Amino acid sequence: MYCLRSERCFLLNKTATEIWNACNGQRSIAEIIRCLGQPEDDVMQMIISLWDQGLLEVDQAFQ
């Protein structure tokens, strides 16, 4: 994945790719966790990591 803001490339693992694909702007974080069937802590850590790298924006309304 290429981030235009930072002009950096990222290689996403399977879990990160699944989370990225699940983030459609309509699902809440809780919905993403449920649909992935992964441990909540793992999903939250990956969401935070994607957000920290500037690859994901989290809207407070969807938490």
Side-chain angles (χ1 to χ4, degrees):
M1 171 178 296
Y2 182 74
C3 179
L4 292 173
R5 270 189 218 164
S6 66
E7 298 182 345
R8 293 175 54 197
C9 288
F10 296 87
L11 179 62
L12 303 181
N13 65 20
K14 182 182 177 204
T15 302
T17 301
E18 289 174 349
I19 291 169
W20 174 259
N21 289 330
C23 293
N24 63 2
Q26 301 300 311
R27 292 185 181 106
S28 68
I29 292 174
E31 290 171 324
I32 292 168
I33 291 167
R34 278 194 303 275
C35 81
L36 292 177
Q38 303 262 346
E40 182 176 346
D41 289 343
D42 292 350
V43 175
M44 286 304 300
Q45 285 179 328
M46 188 57 65
I47 288 172
I48 291 167
S49 178
L50 290 168
W51 178 75
D52 282 344
Q53 296 298 323
L55 298 174
L56 184 65
E57 292 181 11
V58 178
D59 185 338
Q60 297 295 329
F62 285 97
Q63 293 183 14

